[in-house]
Amino acid sequence: FFQMLGFTKPPNEIVKELLAARPAEYCVSAFLGPERITRLAIVFREPGNPSFGSTLASLLVPHRQYDDDTFQKIGQILGIQANVVEYAASAEGYDACMGFEL
């Protein structure tokens, strides 16, 4: 649906990864500017695959890795592990990020 809304189609390997995420739930967010959609995002909550976020990020930018130590430290402070992954399209291209939802 990214392509239907004016963004370039993600590469097939990313589409396959998105389809295999098996999240507990997800939502789609569309952000609008004065003339068009400026950002489109899918947020995956509690993905079934624990490496989903880091795999997605490395598919977008080869050799890109999250700092697992930092995520573990933040998770210990918050009492949870990273449980949200966002995949987004904007004028700058595609990006993936992981985070914590309390």
Side-chain angles (χ1 to χ4, degrees):
F1 69 96
F2 284 94
Q3 195 171 10
M4 293 176 5
L5 294 172
F7 296 95
T8 59
K9 180 184 176 291
N12 288 336
E13 61 269 9
I14 289 179
V15 172
K16 287 178 188 176
E17 190 68 26
L18 294 173
L19 293 173
R22 301 181 322 273
E25 64 181 33
Y26 68 92
C27 70
V28 176
S29 301
F31 299 89
L32 306 169
E35 299 177 12
R36 62 182 172 83
I37 294 176
T38 58
R39 187 170 188 274
L40 185 63
I42 305 173
V43 177
F44 299 87
R45 291 186 175 89
E46 301 288 342
N49 176 357
S51 64
F52 172 63
S54 56
T55 301
L56 193 58
S58 66
L59 286 171
L60 283 166
V61 181
H63 310 294
R64 178 181 184 188
Q65 294 183 357
Y66 284 101
D67 181 353
D68 290 334
D69 290 339
T70 299
F71 271 95
Q72 287 187 0
K73 287 177 186 173
I74 294 170
Q76 288 172 350
I77 292 167
L78 297 175
I80 61 171
Q81 294 302 309
N83 58 355
V84 179
V85 176
E86 180 188 74
Y87 179 72
S90 68
E92 290 79 34
Y94 286 98
D95 197 12
C97 57
M98 293 186 347
F100 301 85
E101 208 170 65
L102 305 176

